[in-house]
Amino acid sequence: MLERILTPSPNWYCSRTSDTSSKGLLGFAGRNSVYLVDVTGPTPVFSGELAGHTDRVSGFTFCHHPAQEDLCVSCSDDGTVKIWDITSGSVVKEHQVHQNIISALHWSPLVKDLIISGDEKGIIICFWYNRNDTQQLFPEPRTIFCLSCSPHHEDHVAVGYKDGMIVLIDISRKGEVIHRLRGHNDEIHALSWCPLLQNEEALYSRQEEIPEAELNGEPAPESTTECYFLASGSRDQTIRIWNSNRGKGLMTLKLPFLKRRGGAIDTIGKERLWLTVHWPPGWPTQIVSSCFGGELLLWDLTKSGKQKWTLFGLSSEWQNHSRIAFSLCSLKMADGKELLFSTSMDRDVKCWDMQTLDCRWTMPTLGGYVYNLAFSPIDVGCLAVGVGDTMIRVWHTLSLHNKFEVKSFWQGIKGKVMALSWHPAREGFLAFGTDDGKVGIIDTYSNKLPQISSSYHKKSVYTVAWGPAIPPVSRGGDGDKPFVTLYSCAGEGIILQHNPWKLTVEAHDINKLIQDTNAIKYKLPLRSEFNWKPDGKVLAIGNEDGSIEIFNAPELKLLCTIQQHHKLVNAIRWHHDHGNQPELGYLIASGSVNAVIYVHNLQNVIENPPDTPALIPAPYRTLPGHTAKITSLAWSPHHDGRLVSASYDGTAQVWDVLKEEPLCNYRGHKGRLLCVRWSPVDPDSIWTGADDFTVHNWMVSKQEFTRPPKGKKQTELELKRNSQLKPKTKKKKRAVKEITRQDFTDSLNAEENPACANEMASEPEEEETEVQDQGSEVQQDAPMAASSSKAKSHIKHLPAVRIEQSVDEKKREKPDLFLKKRKSRSILPLSTALDHKLKEEMMQDCLTLTKVCYSKEPETVSKCIPGAGEYIHLGLFTDRAAVHRVIKEEGANHLENGHPDLFHHLMIWKGDLSGALKVASERGELTDYLVSLSSMAGYLVWVQTVEAFVKQLCFQEEYVKAACYLLAIQRVYAAVELLKSHQLYREAIVLAKARLLPEDPVLKDLYTTWAAVLEKGGHYYMAAKCYLGLDSPYDAAKVLSKKGDVASLKVAAEVALVAGEREQSAIFALRCAQELLSARDWLGAQEVLKHLESLLGQRLVFCTSELLSKHLIEGKIIVWPDTSPPQYHDWVTGKDLSFTDMLIEVWKKEFKLDSENARTALQQLNTVDYPPVTASTSSKQLLLYLSHDLTLAVLNCLKISWGDAIISLLHTVTRCFDIGNFELMQRIYKLALPKGPSYLLNKVDGQNTCSMAASESLNAFFYYGQLYEFWWNQSSVPCEFTTLPKQESCEQNHSSVAIETPEVIEAAADVKENTKAVSCSSTAGEMQMDIKEASRQQLLERVSQLENYKVLLSDLQAYIQSIQREIKDIQDSMVKMVLEHKKNLAAATQTRDLEEDKEGQTEDTKDSAKTEIDACLTPVDSCSSSTGDFPSVASLTEALSELHKRMAEIPEDSKRFPFPDVLECCLVLLHIGSHHPFDLPADVQQLACDLLQKYGKTGTFLKARQRFFT
């Protein structure tokens, strides 16, 4: 079901997130799933996904035991460890024993059912899944970073910690520590065991190469005992080799500082290093490690000298990763090759050949939402992918040698790439838009930085597209006038036109040109989407209010407005103009938030532009089914009228637009779909992107479902989304924050800008940004354990303290009237307290004060400083300096105890008002009292104090009071802006109106902003009031209509009418009337329309609809689904007149219709063009369409325009024919033409070929219905054989048939014998005696009636219909040939890929493979002719050209109007003749036989006619 996929990138900062199985599968953890890739071929092939975790997957490994290769295990931040069966994709066993985030995982290589995992708190869980038993170990109270089970001893496990410690434990002894390996001083990133046992002499040859310091102070051993060796990689930039038997270090390898290409040393990698190591199986003396910048190194442990390493990927440039690598794993293939797989921060998965150290292939992955997909119109199959990780991928999807030939562009791109568009003529020229409002152009064939437009949008750019130049760019000089220009639409609701030749020049807002060209004075709606017609002559713009406007380029003259959607339009797409039906090029599909897709046919409006903008009343096709908003649309370039849509309901739907039928539904994504594109080369292939970080390529023909889910899928989608990354709730720590492993995992799958490598990556997307905890600032230095524990214990009691304090404060706030009035707090508490001491101390104070005042001994003076310290109370009795010291200490005491008001009093007493104000401002403790006193310090101090107080009040959320203080310093505009910025629009408007001039633009801005906020929140009535206050009744009426109910539309129409916006009022009144019409409330509909003269034509239509529904609904011709009782006018019943006469009488009496009014109404209705009907058209719509056509017909009759009347009546009849309701068609004929069509046809001008052709078609449909009615009535009547002179004609008839077809001679003879037998029996006299005159008369009537059906047997129409059938058959054959050729090409490509998998392939083998591919790439003509299943393309093309030439020779009027199927009528007549041989006239039968033989040579007619000619 899924052909190709770009998966999410492997998770970062995890020790073991990828592994390989012996079956040739590579598995890696991406976000909250595990992705499986088949790596046995020359290129990777997506194999499946293991989804079930609800948070990031932090560890993954396969089971490497025989007979268990289909099992694997994963751990996640959700606390679960799951064992999977990869064949079924289901969970076999799981446990949730861990209470903390799991950081390490490994499947024991010796015990087949043992899985060991460790978490951030140092707890290790041993899980024996066969017996469902667990054991908890706690060897060290440290954060575990990685662990690895020994391949030599089933009970030994190596554990690496964050602080650089490595311990070897024995799980059989409850986690007893065997050895502690000390040497690293930073995080342990990876541990890897040597695959084979060996002695120490195999790793080093000279004693002097191993410093004693590296061996923990011991000399190198001389033992020859085989040992268990362990390799460790640490953030301290070293790799260490350990002897696990003795617990000693053997060797230390320091990472080299490699120069990047270009000569610069990578300094980024030093700051953010992840050093992973891998000991490949079968390589006991060589290990692989990562380096600073993502390079991979192969270390030879036996090599002497300083450089023991060899760099991977030296044979060619750019083979290595460009960012740090995280995970390494290897696989030994069946042919003996050993492959190495690596994952990196550059989001690439690479496969390396361990023998040559070259990169075999690279598989790209994605790190963000897939916002946009775009196929190049020149380089067919080149797909551009816009992703939220600030990168653009260009994928050559048709590459035969590498299915994942992707080139990434990130330099110069600073935001999420949300919009893409290829240049229509310049190859490799790609435009893009980002979420930070930037628009740029990048040349994908060069390494230059992208060009960025100097004009930025204020919000995210949602659409960029190339289109023809319009003024003012189109009016530039020859050197400034580009062939096409770049347009962009963003979230602020404007469309900018950029000059691609001069991006430094300011872009132009096209709204100005629209307003100038169309003389629009009202505010234009916010733009949300736009799309140019492929020929560049028409522009469609979707708006935030759900309307779609169609403009004629280059002056952007408004042609029409589509008011079908009532919510923001997300997607607009024009149908391509290279199909077999050119009229389909005028179809435009649109999707919005309301989850319904509408398709409109704008052929009439574009080909015949109206003088005033037209209103499109109804869609050409309606495609309901999605349960969430539509995000993207794409027409198939290979089919006519086939559309694919993407939706937030998580599915992509393919539609047959012409039939209004769903064809298939794709449900492979786990998130909301954001974009969809149809493959330009494969009619069965579609590409989709979603917010699950993936791009899917799937086939239409392989889908299981037909239509979107009815709502259940949406619930499942929410569950899937909830199962993805969730924000982690962390305790807020104030004192000290302990470093955890999350310091590195905060950047999981982050959309990281590669240019900003110094920053930790953060989640990019709208929803995922919430993952970052508010207190997630990373601390680089680990705190001491003691202080950390104290801080934690202190924090744990803080909430309780706060609660107690708040309760006490509430108790204090309660007044107690029975208590005595509390004494005010002392302003000098320190000195007062010291003056209340014992008598002895008081006497000593007197003595001390005396010595200070009168003693001249310096020692006494230096020991006692009045007003400070313990002598503060003595400062009151000495000099001013002592008092200042008293004030200082007392003030400091007040601030410390939370009494700033007393401190301010002291400062004012001191005379330092400025100082008091400064301290209060800095501490945010200003009060009204201080502000009132600040004027004493001068005007500038007062202003500064008020400004500071305003900031303080804003911080305290007292915005109204802050605005009042701004008014005090004459800052009226600042006060208004303050209220506005905090969404106090009502208060801001009152203030602005009271203090500013009426024409001040601030008032307009306030109303506009408030209206936009209210409108976005759904408060349409309040928003309308704002627009009315803004003197913009147009916008007020528009926002009132957004609710879409009858009452709102009625009020909107009245508002627009009162304000003089009659055109807008007509639009809303018509919508309201149509809603009332749906409820069969014709009284209300006419009441709404009666005040608008421009809707006289619609009033007549509604009148016709009322009369018509009375006849059809009560006659049960059509079924009305509404159960509400109808509301008819009095003139509907009680008159004995024909339908047409009654209609004209009502018009003249009730609507005062005269000749001039009729002409006006006719002009109004001619501007409305309803779409054709289909089987899914509702009864309400059908009744409206029929009423419209009948009204036109009657008005044309009053105007004595018989040709136009016939054309309108023909439209009415063909609508009934198109839905297959013959009874309705006959009833329309009886109502509109009670005397038959001959009455109207006789008045047609015979010189007018168009009118004559329409008359023939109308007459034919009349007799077509009569024919079927006759057939159904005669089916129950037995055949009556009479003696009328019919024998001879019958014999002659059959004889003529025999001449044309010799095979019918025998049948003709049988008929002749039967006729003679009947004649003989009749001459006997028995039947003649029984036949009555009445039956003879009935027979004559039937013969006469069948004679009239001869008008159906038109040779010209049969000829036209035959050509049309042949054209369709040829087109179907060509489609089958293309599909067959595609299958052959895919089979040949697969065969070549299998052959190229062999490394020792000779040149002859390559040449043969190339020859085979070339043979499959031969033209479809030769392929099809060789198979013999289809005729050649050349012959089909020639035949098709000949048919089109023959069709062009036929007069246009004959092809313009529909006609009943002539061959079908022939078959019906012959069938009647076979059952009633004497009823059918000979000439009619002969003509039917001739036409059937002449044109019924193919298809079902060939089979059907054999009944009459064999």
Side-chain angles (χ1 to χ4, degrees), residues 300-317:
D300 189 346
L301 304 182
T302 61
K303 191 175 181 180
S304 61
K306 294 184 178 180
Q307 183 169 335
K308 297 177 179 287
W309 51 269
T310 304
L311 185 64
F312 277 70
L314 286 177
S315 61
S316 61
E317 294 186 354

Side-chain angles (χ1 to χ4, degrees), residues 604 1097-1098 1100-1102 1104 1139 1143 1147 1158-1170 1184-1212 1215 1240:
N604 187 31
Q1098 295 296 336
L1100 300 181
V1101 171
F1102 285 12
T1104 307
F1139 178 82
L1143 193 61
W1147 285 356
R1159 190 179 302 107
T1160 303
L1162 189 60
Q1163 291 176 354
Q1164 295 170 1
L1165 295 181
N1166 280 329
T1167 61
V1168 180
D1169 186 17
Y1170 286 108
L1184 180 61
Y1185 300 165
L1186 296 178
S1187 304
H1188 179 268
D1189 294 333
L1190 281 176
T1191 304
L1192 282 175
V1194 176
L1195 287 174
N1196 281 308
C1197 289
L1198 293 176
K1199 189 184 173 184
I1200 316 180
S1201 179
W1202 306 110
D1204 293 337
I1206 289 176
I1207 293 175
S1208 300
L1209 189 57
L1210 179 60
H1211 287 164
T1212 309
R1215 289 187 192 275
L1240 193 59

Side-chain angles (χ1 to χ4, degrees), residues 16 61-66 106-116 148-157 193:
R16 193 190 305 273
T61 181
F62 279 103
C63 176
H64 297 283
H65 294 276
H106 198 200
W107 196 311
S108 173
L110 299 179
V111 183
K112 65 179 182 180
D113 67 335
L114 174 59
I115 298 167
I116 299 180
S148 182
C149 299
S150 172
H152 313 295
H153 195 294
E154 64 179 23
D155 294 328
H156 289 182
V157 179
W193 291 90

Side-chain angles (χ1 to χ4, degrees), residues 159 368 483 1014 1111:
V159 185
F483 170 69
L1014 291 170
H1111 288 81

Side-chain angles (χ1 to χ4, degrees), residues 581-815:
Q581 304 178 50
E583 63 274 10
L584 296 183
Y586 297 96
L587 295 184
I588 181 171
S590 58
S592 69
V593 178
N594 62 3
V596 179
I597 302 169
Y598 294 109
V599 181
H600 292 81
N601 190 342
L602 305 180
Q603 181 176 6
N604 187 31
V605 175
I606 294 175
E607 291 183 345
N608 305 299
D611 295 333
T612 58
L615 176 66
I616 307 301
Y620 175 75
R621 294 291 186 268
T622 302
L623 306 176
H626 283 295
T627 57
K629 70 178 181 180
I630 310 299
T631 54
S632 182
L633 298 170
W635 290 96
S636 168
H638 314 282
H639 310 87
D640 286 340
R642 189 160 295 184
L643 181 73
V644 62
S645 58
S647 170
Y648 257 29
D649 62 12
T651 69
Q653 178 65 41
V654 179
W655 308 87
D656 187 332
V657 173
L658 301 182
K659 298 180 181 178
E660 288 187 317
E661 293 179 355
L663 297 181
C664 81
N665 184 256
Y666 178 69
R667 308 183 184 183
H669 285 280
K670 293 196 305 177
R672 304 170 300 182
L673 268 68
L674 302 178
C675 53
V676 62
R677 288 294 179 270
W678 211 299
S679 171
V681 295
D682 188 350
D684 198 37
S685 176
I686 293 178
W687 299 77
T688 51
D691 64 0
D692 58 2
F693 289 41
T694 62
V695 173
H696 288 192
N697 174 218
W698 48 276
M699 296 298 170
V700 175
S701 59
K702 297 182 180 180
Q703 301 311 308
E704 175 185 358
F705 303 99
T706 303
R707 59 180 65 247
K710 294 185 178 180
K712 182 179 179 181
K713 176 65 180 179
Q714 192 172 8
T715 305
E716 295 175 354
L717 179 63
E718 291 300 324
L719 294 176
K720 287 182 179 179
R721 291 185 58 78
N722 292 335
S723 69
Q724 296 183 13
L725 296 178
K726 296 181 179 179
K728 301 178 181 63
T729 56
K730 299 180 181 179
K731 296 180 180 178
K732 295 183 178 179
K733 303 177 182 181
R734 290 190 176 183
V736 180
K737 181 181 175 183
E738 185 181 2
I739 290 295
T740 66
R741 185 178 179 79
Q742 186 63 25
D743 297 345
F744 295 100
T745 58
D746 281 344
S747 59
L748 167 66
N749 273 332
E751 291 186 349
E752 182 186 25
N753 185 352
C756 303
N758 293 327
E759 302 173 3
M760 291 295 287
S762 59
E763 285 292 337
E765 306 301 342
E766 293 81 351
E767 288 79 12
E768 281 125 15
T769 51
E770 298 174 2
V771 176
Q772 300 296 332
D773 195 276
Q774 293 180 354
S776 61
E777 297 179 358
V778 178
Q779 296 184 6
Q780 298 296 334
D781 300 327
M784 294 183 298
S787 61
S788 176
S789 61
K790 290 179 181 179
K792 291 179 182 176
S793 62
H794 174 68
I795 293 172
K796 291 180 181 178
H797 297 289
L798 280 181
V801 173
R802 289 176 187 155
I803 295 174
E804 292 173 2
Q805 289 177 351
S806 62
V807 172
D808 292 339
E809 289 173 0
K810 290 181 180 179
K811 289 181 179 179
R812 293 191 202 109
E813 291 174 359
K814 293 182 179 179

Side-chain angles (χ1 to χ4, degrees), residues 1157-1375:
N1157 288 342
R1159 190 179 302 107
T1160 303
L1162 189 60
Q1163 291 176 354
Q1164 295 170 1
L1165 295 181
N1166 280 329
T1167 61
V1168 180
D1169 186 17
Y1170 286 108
V1173 296
T1174 62
S1176 60
T1177 303
S1178 64
S1179 301
K1180 301 176 183 179
Q1181 290 177 315
L1182 178 62
L1183 180 62
L1184 180 61
Y1185 300 165
L1186 296 178
S1187 304
H1188 179 268
D1189 294 333
L1190 281 176
T1191 304
L1192 282 175
V1194 176
L1195 287 174
N1196 281 308
C1197 289
L1198 293 176
K1199 189 184 173 184
I1200 316 180
S1201 179
W1202 306 110
D1204 293 337
I1206 289 176
I1207 293 175
S1208 300
L1209 189 57
L1210 179 60
H1211 287 164
T1212 309
V1213 173
T1214 53
R1215 289 187 192 275
C1216 303
F1217 174 77
D1218 289 340
I1219 63 173
N1221 195 333
F1222 291 94
E1223 188 177 3
L1224 177 60
M1225 185 172 68
Q1226 291 301 99
R1227 181 59 66 94
I1228 293 295
Y1229 268 115
K1230 292 178 180 178
L1231 291 175
L1233 300 172
K1235 300 178 182 180
S1238 58
Y1239 169 77
L1240 193 59
L1241 301 181
N1242 293 333
K1243 299 184 179 183
V1244 176
D1245 183 7
Q1247 302 299 323
N1248 190 331
T1249 56
C1250 179
S1251 300
M1252 290 303 297
S1255 302
E1256 293 175 3
S1257 179
L1258 180 64
N1259 197 32
F1261 276 107
F1262 174 76
Y1263 285 109
Y1264 180 76
Q1266 293 287 335
L1267 174 61
Y1268 270 94
E1269 187 175 354
F1270 178 87
W1271 182 22
W1272 296 331
N1273 293 336
Q1274 292 298 320
S1275 61
S1276 59
V1277 178
C1279 178
E1280 298 180 359
F1281 298 95
T1282 66
T1283 57
L1284 289 176
K1286 292 281 299 267
Q1287 299 177 17
E1288 184 178 354
S1289 62
C1290 288
E1291 293 174 9
Q1292 293 175 356
N1293 181 31
H1294 288 287
S1295 300
S1296 64
V1297 173
I1299 294 173
E1300 296 289 337
T1301 55
E1303 293 83 358
V1304 301
I1305 295 177
E1306 183 179 353
D1310 293 340
V1311 173
K1312 188 180 297 183
E1313 292 296 329
N1314 293 336
T1315 306
K1316 291 179 180 179
V1318 173
S1319 300
C1320 292
S1321 62
S1322 61
T1323 55
E1326 295 179 0
M1327 291 186 63
Q1328 291 182 355
M1329 296 297 295
D1330 297 333
I1331 295 176
K1332 298 180 181 179
E1333 186 63 26
S1335 16
R1336 188 184 303 272
Q1337 187 65 26
Q1338 292 176 359
L1339 182 59
L1340 289 173
E1341 291 177 359
R1342 290 199 299 272
V1343 172
S1344 175
Q1345 190 172 359
L1346 288 172
E1347 182 70 30
N1348 294 331
Y1349 299 152
K1350 191 175 180 179
V1351 299
L1352 295 171
L1353 308 182
S1354 170
D1355 186 272
L1356 177 60
Q1357 294 296 332
Y1359 177 63
I1360 295 173
Q1361 293 169 3
S1362 175
I1363 294 177
Q1364 292 173 345
R1365 280 192 290 268
E1366 291 182 31
I1367 291 175
K1368 186 178 184 303
D1369 292 340
I1370 291 176
Q1371 291 172 349
D1372 293 342
S1373 298
M1374 296 182 75
V1375 171

Side-chain angles (χ1 to χ4, degrees), residues 334 366 459 601 762 867 944 1345 1429 1494:
L366 306 178
K459 295 185 179 180
N601 190 342
S762 59
Q944 293 173 358
Q1345 190 172 359
D1429 296 335
K1494 186 176 180 180

